[in-house]
Structures are given as structure tokens and as C-alpha cells.
Amino acid sequence: MATPDDILNESQVDAALAELPDWRYRLGGLVTAYKAPTAAAALELIAAVGRLAEEQNHHPDLDWRYNRVFLRYSSHDAGDEVTRRDVAAAAAAGAAAAGVGATAEPGLYRTVEVAIDSEDPAAIAEVWRVALGYRRGGANDLVDPFGRGPTLWFQETSTPSPNRVHLDIHRSRAESGPVLAKTAAAGALMNRDHAPNWVVVTDAQGNQLCLCTEAGHGAGVPEA
């Protein structure tokens, strides 16, 4: 069982990822996607990851889409953060993927969270938690206990945007460039004041989202 003392800091996570080229850090977890040669091979990979999970007593969030398998490792018993246990599990899953001829496509793993501007998150968080069936995560976070729905983050601010609800879409910094270029080409207004950590995107009707490359929170729509 992991404890808060087992949590890796930013430099330790970076050092681990240098040895795990298939993986990326995303909001307290290690994530990737593997493309297998066939759907049957993807099922072989899922079975292999399942066996590893039982041996390690550490289970990932896993999603199967035809010949692609999406994986996320995080230590929920250490506050939804990355520990050495996650690093070891990711390395073992990578070896299993190579064994079935799967190739990594970590850029396909997009992390979406819903952000709500609020002067007082505590006054509204319980309504959202109960309605969604979520649990409390880190600071101002609500998370799906089954890892299927997006995280809900309350951005505490004394000057909420008129558009209080927006999406934060997280990618690795190395893979965000093409998305930013294509989004701008689609006609969006791009506020790059906080680039490269995040870029605020506004569509033609004033709706906003953030394209984020920052590892943690703090990448919401800036205060007015």
C-alpha cells in the first residue's frame, strides 16, 4: 500500500519518464495508449496487464477501443499521485505491449477536466459531488471513483468569468504544438499570455476552453 511519503516529486517523475518513452504524466497519473496489430492482440495485452495487476496488487484504469488500449496508473491510496509503484507498473505494461507487437501512441491520450469558476467552491462542491456520484480528490477536485468521467475542478477566483464552466484539455508539451496550430486555423481566438503552460481558446460565440501542457492545476481561464 502506497502512502503520501511514496509520492514522487516533479524531478523524480521527469527522471522516471526519461526511462519510459511510451508514457506521459497527466494530472497525478502516468498515461499512454497502445495500438496493437489486431483487436485480438489488444485483448492479449489487456489480459497481460490484468495478470500484472494481480501480481502487483496495483490496477490501472484501462479502456479498450478495437485495437487500441488506453492505460492510466495512479496511486489512489497516496492521494491520486504518482509513486514508484506506478513507474514499475508502467514499465511492466510497456514490456507486455512489446510482447504482443503493440506500439505506443501516447499523444492519443487526452485528459479532459471540467472547470467551474467560483468565489466559494465549498458552497457548491457537495451538490456536484452528490449529483455525479464522485469523490473528493485533491485541492478543489472531484473525481470519478471509477476513472471514467472527467475530473471536476473548481477554479477559486474573486472575479469569475461570465462563462463560468469551461473545459481544460491536457496534453504533453511536446505534442500540443500541432493541436494549437489547428485550433487557431479553425478560427479560434488564442490568448497565449500563459504559453507554453496553457493557452486560452475562445470560439466565435465567446465560449472558452484551455489547451494545457502544465502538469498540475492552475491552468484555468485567467481572472478578468
Side-chain angles (χ1 to χ4, degrees):
M1 180 176 178
T3 69
D5 292 337
D6 297 320
I7 296 171
L8 301 185
N9 60 34
E10 183 176 349
S11 62
Q12 290 172 321
V13 171
D14 288 344
L17 288 175
E19 304 297 323
L20 295 170
D22 292 358
W23 296 79
R24 303 290 184 266
Y25 174 84
R26 200 71 52 72
L27 294 180
L30 300 180
V31 305
T32 195
Y34 284 108
K35 181 181 179 181
T38 63
L43 286 171
E44 290 180 28
L45 174 57
I46 291 169
V49 169
R51 288 191 294 271
L52 290 168
E54 288 297 293
E55 293 168 4
Q56 300 163 340
N57 192 28
H58 189 44
H59 300 76
D61 292 334
L62 184 151
D63 191 17
W64 173 40
R65 292 291 184 267
Y66 183 57
N67 64 338
R68 286 182 171 87
V69 179
F70 295 78
L71 291 168
R72 181 179 189 272
Y73 284 101
S74 181
S75 292
H76 306 304
D77 49 4
D80 298 312
E81 296 289 353
V82 173
T83 66
R84 289 180 176 81
R85 184 174 60 176
D86 300 300
V87 174
V100 301
T103 57
E105 296 181 326
L108 292 184
Y109 201 113
R110 295 177 294 277
T111 303
V112 178
E113 66 179 354
V114 179
I116 301 176
D117 279 6
S118 174
E119 306 94 325
D120 184 9
I124 62 174
E126 188 65 7
V127 171
W128 289 88
R129 188 193 68 78
V130 172
L132 288 166
Y134 275 23
R135 64 174 175 83
R136 295 188 181 276
N140 291 341
D141 273 2
L142 298 177
V143 297
D144 184 345
F146 301 105
R148 298 186 68 245
T151 297
L152 187 66
W153 172 49
F154 297 92
Q155 177 171 266
E156 186 170 354
T157 171
S158 59
T159 57
S161 168
N163 180 17
R164 283 184 177 238
V165 179
H166 67 273
L167 299 183
D168 288 344
I169 303 169
H170 295 259
R171 290 181 171 84
S172 71
R173 185 163 297 174
E175 292 152 347
S176 64
V179 175
L180 289 169
K182 290 178 181 178
T183 303
L189 176 65
M190 313 289 282
N191 179 341
R192 300 178 183 268
D193 288 351
H194 300 279
N197 290 336
W198 72 89
V199 174
V200 181
V201 178
T202 306
D203 68 19
Q205 296 180 1
N207 303 298
Q208 291 185 324
L209 59 88
C210 285
L211 295 177
C212 308
T213 60
E214 192 173 50
H217 282 154
V221 173
E223 298 182 18

